[in-house]
Amino acid sequence: MMGEGWIEVGSKIAGLLFVLTTIQQYFPQQLKHYLGKWFNIRVLGFVYPYIKLKINEHSNGRRNEVYYAIKTYLSSKSTDHARRLKADMIKNTKSIAISFEDCEEVLDEFKGIKIWYRVLQEDTNTEIQTSTFYAQRSQQVPEYKSYELIFHKRHKDVVVGAYLEHVVEQAKEIGLRNRQRKIYTNNISDYWYWADKNFWSHIGFEHPATFQTLAMDPAIKDKIISDLVTFSNGKDYYAKVGKPWKRGYLLYGPPGTGKSTMIAAIANFLKYDVYDLELTSVKNNNELRKLLIDTTSKSIIVIEDIDCSLDLTGTRKKKEEEKSKEEGENDPLKEKETDKEKEASKVTLSGLLNFIDGIWSACGSERIIVFTTNHIDKLDPALIRRGRMDMHIEMSYCKFEAFKVLAKNYLNIESHPLYETIERLLGEANISPSDVAENLMPKNASKDDAEMCLKSLIEALERAKDDARLKDQKEEPEAETEQDGDGDEDPKSKLGKLVKKHKSYLRVLRKNVWCI
């Protein structure tokens, strides 16, 4: 009985092979293709329950972003399973990408679902359209690659939907971690059309500043770090409260207190690009808006010395000009002044405010806007109010805690007998961290160099203390001469004060005429 059963199975297989051979020889090509497709779907579908999803390197003659997202995603997965690997240096990155060799299979899991990857390579004459500044041209690609994803058919909806979205998001994060960060500056307006509408030019950002090397009060430093971490993880929170995902920081303080170094430390901490915006080269509010639109997410937009960048009092100047016209005043330099105003930037305070938190400011996400100034009292209150500049950070003169950070960085010491003297002098004299760092810079390689540097700093602190004392002594007699013995203001002093005031006006006027 067993032998008869095997004979029957063999006869059926022989009959099937005879039918297939007959179809192969005598049936038309289109009919054979249809029957083969029907056989794969209807017959093999019951035996082979897996689906193959093919993702080509190029689609419709253009670069397929999903393919490159998978390539980036698998660079972190291939080393765990594959045996044959290859290394590539990807453009605009600072690391080497590891991928698996052709025909090698890599297994990935997502929510308990197993997905197999395999690289396919085929020869073809695919034509890819590339666009340049001058014209469009076609490029012949002799071969192209594709990824083949294999998974069970019951997981089709999950793989095509949630899984591929997960791969794309992970690829973006990997690309941001591995990319070489850049610092951008806005191009001069006259050259925009020659630069193919590239509003920003850039170079690699390699500033070494970190919060560990930043000389400032540790308590303030920890507060800033905590705020930055909260902001970088606040995507859902900002969406919940209905605010654009951005934050403003105002850095103010005397020159040399580390405002630019703070910006570099923030960029290195968050791994953000830096956009250094020069307002004086922006012609008007429309160009300012174009610059904002052309910035990317995960970036820091910096306007340094905001009080010196532009005269944001255009409305008041216009009113003064109208008033002078009504009074019939004639200005001999009127024509030259008009030409100068035409060349000057027309960015207004209203345009700058819209740049910070207007409707157009929500065209991107995860961005930080930083203003720096040496004189916070010169800024318009509307420009620095909470909600625009969310956090005001004072970069003050060097204190003892900041000095210890600098001493550790420059001299590699944490304590010294001269520290007590330096702590006392830092409380009596004002000196910037940059001046302290200059005195701590080793001049030679001797063992006693640290002590020499500390003594040099003590001398600088004593000089600063003496200069401050002399300045106070010089100002005291001038204050006393403004009043007579009875406490009333002396008429001569009042007249002299008025003359001095008008002289200052004339000096400013001469300076403006000279600039024109």
Side-chain angles (χ1 to χ4, degrees), residues 81-84 100-106 117-119:
H81 303 283
R83 296 182 179 180
R84 293 179 297 175
F100 54 91
E101 190 56 81
D102 300 342
C103 301
E104 183 78 13
E105 288 189 356
V106 172
Y117 283 91
R118 187 170 57 183
V119 175

Side-chain angles (χ1 to χ4, degrees), residues 49 51 151-158:
I51 294 177
F151 51 90
H152 200 282
K153 62 182 181 182
R154 65 170 174 266
H155 303 309
K156 176 182 176 181
D157 294 337
V158 178

Side-chain angles (χ1 to χ4, degrees), residues 478-495 497:
E478 294 180 357
E480 292 177 356
T481 56
E482 292 181 358
Q483 295 183 351
D484 57 10
D486 297 331
D488 297 329
E489 189 173 2
D490 187 5
K492 293 183 179 180
S493 177
K494 183 176 181 181
L495 180 60
K497 191 175 181 181

Side-chain angles (χ1 to χ4, degrees), residues 59 88 92 168 173 189 218-219 242 271 311 346-347 350 373 381 398 431 466 487:
S59 178
D88 299 308
N92 296 328
V168 172
E173 294 183 6
S189 302
K271 295 182 175 16
D311 182 10
K346 298 297 183 182
V347 175
S350 174
T373 180
C398 187
I431 186 171
D466 294 338

